[in-house]
Amino acid sequence: MKAILEAKYIDKHFRKPVDFHVLKDINFKVNQGEFVSVMGKSGCGKSTLLYILSTMDTDYEGELYLNDELLTGKHPDYLAYVRNKHIGFVFQFHYLLPEFTVLENIMLPARKLGEKSNEEIRTDALHKLEILQIAELAQKKASRISGGEKQRVAIARALINDPAIIMGDEPTGNLDSHNSENVLRIFRQLSDEQGLSLLIVTHDHDFAQSTDRIISMEDGRIISEGR
Ligand SMILES: Nc1ncnc2c1ncn2[C@@H]1O[C@H](COP(=O)(O)OP(=O)(O)O)[C@@H](O)[C@H]1O
Ligand SMILES: [Mg+2]
């Protein structure tokens, strides 16, 4: 089994307003094609951990590896590149640009990466829309589609650079059960059919039960890795 993501001895303190030990000795791996959920009470450190794992927060102790490459200590510009190329992120709120079309929103991270022509990126974006079964939305403005559709567009956008891993912070937290099931089905399919790794924070027990394993957190620690 190839490890895509590995956290080693990750510790973090918030120093203000008072010293707070928010993450304590976090160690785990996510393998290629694995669909992993993270559960734990509100305030236990899930979002803080995801910010570190997605390279957005560099203020921690320990080591973070992506595809066996140590990312800890790398230059912020390089981390921004790694994040754009290898990590797809899906939030509770979609953060689409409302005045841009669905297609333009999906193409954006690939344009930023700048490795392909506009035509290639367009073709890739249309393909992602097909995978998510929303091809008919391509030319609509992002402000004109439903909440469930927006989240699927956000997933398509997260996939545009063919990342090694998708990370999500309660991506179904704002969706009704029908749309949550759709997102779960799409994630399952990406893991099974494309070998994509996923690490998804959720409060939804049914959702978590459908993943390959559940990492449980309590008070800044991992208390069970689900294997
Ligand atoms: N910038 C910050 N400064 C100080 N404390 C913070 C900050 N951000 C979050 N916290 C605290 O860290 C803990 C973990 O927060 P968070 O990672 O958002 O939890 P979760 O996502 O599991 O609900 C909470 O007690 C929260 O109040
Ligand atoms: Mg959170």
Side-chain angles (χ1 to χ4, degrees), residues 98-118:
E99 290 307 306
F100 283 57
T101 66
V102 161
L103 196 64
E104 287 165 341
N105 268 282
I106 296 171
M107 290 172 71
L108 228 61
R111 283 193 170 140
K112 190 175 161 199
L113 192 62
E115 290 182 348
K116 289 181 176 174
S117 73
N118 222 33

Side-chain angles (χ1 to χ4, degrees), residues 153-171:
V153 174
I155 296 169
R157 181 184 54 184
L159 291 170
I160 190 67
N161 291 331
D162 294 321
I165 186 165
I166 292 272
M167 297 185 194
D169 198 352
E170 303 191 33

Side-chain angles (χ1 to χ4, degrees), residues 139-196:
Q139 299 305 336
K140 285 204 176 176
K141 269 194 183 178
S143 57
R144 298 292 176 86
I145 61 176
S146 75
E149 289 169 343
K150 280 179 184 148
Q151 198 56 306
R152 278 199 258 177
V153 174
I155 296 169
R157 181 184 54 184
L159 291 170
I160 190 67
N161 291 331
D162 294 321
I165 186 165
I166 292 272
M167 297 185 194
D169 198 352
E170 303 191 33
T172 63
N174 207 26
L175 299 178
D176 60 23
S177 60
H178 170 72
N179 280 304
S180 296
E181 279 162 31
N182 267 333
V183 167
L184 177 62
R185 185 176 45 74
I186 291 158
F187 283 166
R188 188 72 266 172
Q189 207 173 333
L190 290 166
S191 161
D192 292 344
E193 293 173 16
Q194 315 214 8
L196 188 70

Side-chain angles (χ1 to χ4, degrees), residues 14 16-17 20 22 40-49 169-170:
F14 285 118
K16 289 176 191 166
F20 177 52
V22 60
K41 286 189 187 135
S42 183
C44 73
K46 304 180 298 296
S47 295
T48 304
L49 178 60
D169 198 352
E170 303 191 33

